[in-house]
Amino acid sequence: MKNVSLLFFLLILNSAIAQVSDFKAIDFTRADNIAKLNADASLENLPLLAHNLTNKLHTKAEKFRAIYTWVCLNIKGDLVQDNKVSKNRKKYKNDSIAYLKWNNAYKKTAFKKLRKQKKTMCTGYAYLIKELCFLADIECAIINGYGRSTTTNVTSLELANHSWNAVKLNDKWYLCDATWSSGYFINDVFIKDYNLGYFLTDPRLFAKNHYPLEKKWLLNDTLLDTDFTASPIVYANTFLHKTLPITPNNLYTTVKLKDKVTFSFKALNTIKIEDVSLVQLYGFKQIPFKINNLKIDNDLVSFTYAFKNKTTFDVHLKIKNDIVATYTIDVN
């Protein structure tokens, strides 16, 4: 039964391989360099910024890359603003009209801060991407939905808290998240860390921690007829390594003592057997499991492990030194 399940996942994944690979023939170096050369550009004149970022590039994919790179490198996350919006989202969770009234009034403050200080939250990132795309004649949409992390929307969709973009290139829609590409917070301090893993991402991987309010923006037919499921927790490094977890499909899995659990994932970057490990955390210490039958078949990586104690294990899949997926295995 487990082999049949794995085969099913492989069949549906064939239609959803990492979408940035659609542009393998394009060298984005020039687009990235143009974005870096315009690092000091102002947001006071968006038409001029869009022109300077795109006029020397020939394809819409390159133009979008220059826009995306510029936004990710030059806009900082604003935790104060994010906390304020999150607080009011919760406050007006059951009163959408009141929230929209508050949000519309707050937009002026938010957009002024974006324009003057180049600081914003997810809505500002998505808005800026969309506006620059419009000026460059690229079709782009703002997608609102649920951002999933280790603390938010983990097992159910509790609060719509995130915005990202879909962009149309060569008559096909692609997904990206400039907010999470730009960096992250440590102790309330924004750390710039450009992560291209969120650029034109495979929809099946994107759906692990992005769930849109409108299902059509899942951009994968196999996802449209299913409801949200609590899949393994993924991280920024999951996107960086282009790792797509396959089995176990759920965050929580229950097995019998000494039953073999199959772990498998698509490795859309080149990977070696020695790069893969499964660990358990004890404080700052990592205890590796002795995994069996680890094999790589094209881009499919799989191995098994039989848990030897009746307890609940939080286990973490690693590629090199990076955790890319977390599972909870209940052994009884």
Side-chain angles (χ1 to χ4, degrees):
M1 185 65 185
K2 290 180 182 177
N3 290 336
V4 173
S5 176
L6 182 56
L7 177 61
F8 171 74
F9 281 113
L10 291 178
L11 288 172
I12 63 175
L13 281 167
N14 285 337
S15 63
I17 300 305
Q19 296 206 338
V20 71
S21 65
D22 290 353
F23 301 97
K24 279 184 177 179
I26 295 180
D27 183 354
F28 287 115
T29 303
R30 191 179 184 201
D32 290 341
N33 285 339
I34 288 174
K36 292 172 185 176
L37 287 171
N38 285 275
D40 296 324
S42 169
L43 289 177
E44 297 291 348
N45 191 336
L46 288 186
L48 178 61
L49 176 58
H51 174 79
N52 289 341
L53 289 174
T54 63
N55 80 97
K56 294 180 181 179
L57 299 170
H58 301 295
T59 68
K60 287 192 175 182
E62 289 173 285
K63 292 178 180 182
F64 179 70
R65 173 62 167 253
I67 290 170
Y68 188 83
T69 297
W70 190 92
V71 171
C72 292
L73 293 180
N74 290 279
I75 307 303
K76 294 182 179 180
D78 186 349
L79 194 60
V80 172
Q81 187 180 149
D82 188 55
N83 287 339
K84 183 175 290 187
V85 173
S86 296
K87 179 181 177 181
N88 281 278
R89 276 194 181 119
K90 293 175 182 177
K91 179 179 178 180
Y92 299 116
K93 183 178 180 180
N94 299 316
D95 190 346
S96 59
I97 295 176
Y99 176 73
L100 285 173
K101 183 178 179 180
W102 175 87
N103 191 53
N104 288 335
Y106 186 69
K107 278 181 181 178
K108 291 182 180 179
T109 301
F111 289 139
K112 182 179 180 180
K113 197 169 187 180
L114 170 60
R115 190 175 73 252
K116 297 290 187 180
Q117 301 180 29
K118 294 182 180 176
K119 295 178 70 174
T120 191
M121 52 173 289
C122 59
T123 306
Y125 278 99
Y127 162 81
L128 186 54
I129 291 280
K130 185 178 185 298
E131 287 299 302
L132 290 171
C133 282
F134 172 77
L135 294 166
D137 193 30
I138 299 171
E139 192 171 353
C140 183
I142 296 174
I143 313 303
N144 297 311
Y146 302 84
R148 186 168 178 254
S149 67
T150 55
T151 58
T152 306
N153 298 318
V154 177
T155 59
S156 62
L157 301 179
E158 299 170 359
L159 186 68
N161 62 343
H162 197 41
S163 299
W164 56 92
N165 293 100
V167 60
K168 198 172 188 180
L169 303 170
N170 297 342
D171 295 320
K172 183 177 178 180
W173 285 100
Y174 296 84
L175 297 167
C176 59
D177 185 341
T179 308
W180 289 0
S181 270
S182 65
Y184 52 88
F185 287 94
I186 294 182
N187 296 328
D188 297 343
V189 176
F190 182 72
I191 307 299
K192 285 188 176 182
D193 186 17
Y194 186 25
N195 183 343
L196 268 171
Y198 296 101
F199 175 74
L200 309 184
T201 307
D202 176 346
R204 288 197 59 85
L205 173 55
F206 208 77
K208 297 294 183 185
N209 59 6
H210 296 74
Y211 202 86
L213 294 177
E214 295 182 75
K215 274 190 170 186
K216 69 177 183 178
W217 292 114
L218 288 166
L219 299 189
N220 185 296
D221 291 343
T222 65
L223 299 172
L224 291 177
D225 294 329
T226 60
D227 292 324
F228 168 83
T229 57
S231 58
I233 297 293
V234 295
Y235 306 89
N237 285 323
T238 314
F239 288 75
L240 195 62
H241 287 289
K242 291 182 170 57
T243 305
L244 178 53
I246 301 175
T247 58
N249 186 44
N250 296 321
L251 172 60
Y252 297 100
T253 299
T254 301
V255 297
K256 297 293 184 182
L257 185 65
K258 296 184 180 180
D259 275 359
K260 288 183 178 180
V261 179
T262 298
F263 295 87
S264 64
F265 60 94
K266 280 272 188 178
L268 302 173
N269 283 342
T270 303
I271 195 171
K272 299 176 182 178
I273 285 179
E274 57 266 30
D275 293 337
V276 182
S277 60
L278 189 71
V279 303
Q280 190 172 19
L281 302 182
Y282 288 95
F284 294 104
K285 191 175 181 181
Q286 297 186 8
I287 309 297
F289 292 94
K290 281 191 176 182
I291 55 180
N292 301 308
N293 306 316
L294 199 156
K295 56 186 178 181
I296 302 175
D297 185 4
N298 292 320
D299 56 3
L300 175 68
V301 182
S302 63
F303 61 88
T304 61
Y305 185 80
F307 293 89
K308 300 175 177 64
N309 297 307
K310 289 186 177 182
T311 188
T312 299
F313 295 88
D314 286 325
V315 298
H316 309 275
L317 176 67
K318 291 183 64 178
I319 294 180
K320 297 182 180 178
N321 293 320
D322 300 321
I323 292 176
V324 295
T326 295
Y327 310 81
T328 298
I329 311 296
D330 185 21
V331 184
N332 55 41

